[in-house]
Amino acid sequence: MKKLWLIILAILFVSACGAAGGGGSKLDIKVGGKDSTLTIKSGGVYYGNVISTSPGKPNVQTFAHDIYLANYEMDTTSAATMRKPLTAADQIRVELQLTGEDGTKTDSPFKVGTYSAKADKINRVRSIIVATFADGKETRTTFDTMGLTPKADGDVKLTAVTADSISGEVNLSDGDKSIKGKFTTKLPKAK
């Protein structure tokens, strides 16, 4: 009987952790003069890397991993399927690209820490896109994170990284645009 209770408790614990849309996984978004709440139903990650160059300075290679969070059931097979155009009223998808430390690459894992929109090349929020659907069309709103004087401010804090999921907090803004809240999403299976 004691073993049965331990198994039941373990099942309850596992089912309460780690999936997209878990307790508290929602983002408050302001784009296009409209406030929305994205209650996360699905999410995914695409692993990539980037090599940054600057005249007279050594190249910097970092991972450039994309996090996709949506309020609908998203096909997480690949980056292309996660970016499929929205097709239904009130669909919202947030796309965040984070870069890691110098020397990281496509197969480098996420690390717990703060990724700033104001960072230069490493440990930064490299891109922020909010896709919304209204009036029969998709609108993609991009935050200004690139160039010499990016306007985006704030950060993404990864608070937990496991073998199969990541959790974090988003607090980003760019003028009258903003994203704030918490998320948990699954990581792709290791190859």
Side-chain angles (χ1 to χ4, degrees), residues 16-191:
C17 299
S25 283
K26 70 176 188 170
L27 302 174
D28 293 320
I29 299 170
K30 183 174 183 178
V31 292
K34 183 179 176 189
D35 292 330
S36 304
T37 297
L38 185 159
T39 301
I40 300 168
K41 286 189 179 175
S42 66
V45 169
Y46 175 76
Y47 293 127
N49 71 44
V50 66
I51 298 174
S52 299
T53 60
S54 295
K57 294 184 180 180
N59 291 346
V60 174
Q61 177 172 322
T62 67
F63 71 61
H65 298 338
D66 297 312
I67 301 169
Y68 297 88
L69 305 166
N71 67 348
Y72 59 92
E73 289 302 324
M74 184 172 39
D75 178 353
T76 60
T77 306
S78 69
T81 61
M82 288 186 275
R83 279 192 222 115
K84 280 185 180 177
L86 305 181
T87 58
D90 300 320
Q91 284 185 334
I92 303 171
R93 181 179 60 242
V94 170
E95 305 169 20
L96 303 168
Q97 185 179 76
L98 306 182
T99 62
E101 297 169 346
D102 188 9
T104 56
K105 52 190 177 187
T106 302
D107 59 356
S108 298
F110 282 110
K111 289 187 177 179
V112 169
T114 300
Y115 299 79
S116 172
K118 291 292 189 192
D120 183 24
K121 294 178 183 170
I122 62 171
N123 296 332
R124 73 181 288 237
V125 181
R126 189 165 189 265
S127 71
I128 309 160
I129 300 169
V130 178
T132 56
F133 190 89
D135 301 324
K137 65 179 180 168
E138 176 183 277
T139 301
R140 293 175 59 84
T141 303
T142 303
F143 287 46
D144 181 2
T145 60
M146 303 299 277
L148 296 175
T149 57
K151 295 176 185 164
D153 197 12
D155 54 45
V156 174
K157 292 179 184 173
L158 294 185
T159 55
V161 177
T162 68
D164 60 0
S165 70
I166 56 171
S167 296
E169 299 175 10
V170 178
N171 187 4
L172 296 165
S173 63
D174 176 1
D176 63 352
K177 302 176 283 215
S178 64
I179 306 170
K180 187 172 182 152
K182 295 182 180 185
F183 70 90
T184 295
T185 194
K186 294 179 184 178
L187 293 172
K189 294 191 186 308
K191 294 180 180 178

